[in-house]
Amino acid sequence: MGVYDSGGRMLRGFLAGLADHLAPGGEGWLVLSDLAEHLGLRTRRELADAIAEGGLRVVDRIDTVPRHPRERDGADPLHAARSAETTSLWRLAAVG
């Protein structure tokens, strides 16, 4: 499932509130595609800043490349972005 998050409000809201919902030593997991970065809708720096502003640190990140028909469809108007897309599992923990 994909979500168009105009202006990144949902993502920033999630990251801003996550630390308050974690048990001591707990993690929050975020599965996020970098398609928005390839389309110029968000930068990696904006994501890193939102993580830090939420009082979070990255414990680990696991990446995977697309394996769906649309990433191979040269007729898709988003083909270039989709073929470069990486989806990551971000493991996040509270700072401190």
Side-chain angles (χ1 to χ4, degrees):
M1 179 174 123
V3 174
Y4 175 66
D5 182 20
S6 179
R9 288 184 301 271
M10 184 175 75
L11 177 60
R12 284 193 321 275
F14 171 79
L15 294 170
L18 179 59
D20 291 336
H21 290 83
L22 296 176
E27 294 182 3
W29 290 9
L30 173 66
V31 177
L32 185 68
S33 162
D34 66 355
L35 186 62
E37 294 170 27
H38 294 290
L39 296 175
L41 301 172
R42 180 187 67 239
T43 67
R44 182 57 57 108
R45 180 80 252 156
E46 289 170 327
L47 176 60
D49 288 348
I51 290 170
E53 289 166 8
L56 300 164
R57 64 183 175 82
V58 178
V59 174
D60 191 17
R61 188 182 87 210
I62 302 167
D63 298 327
T64 188
V65 295
R67 293 185 181 100
H68 52 77
R70 293 176 84 180
E71 116 354 88
R72 294 183 298 273
D73 181 1
D76 183 328
L78 300 177
H79 177 264
R82 289 188 200 281
S83 62
E85 177 184 17
T86 299
T87 299
S88 303
L89 166 64
W90 296 80
R91 294 178 47 213
L92 306 171
V95 173

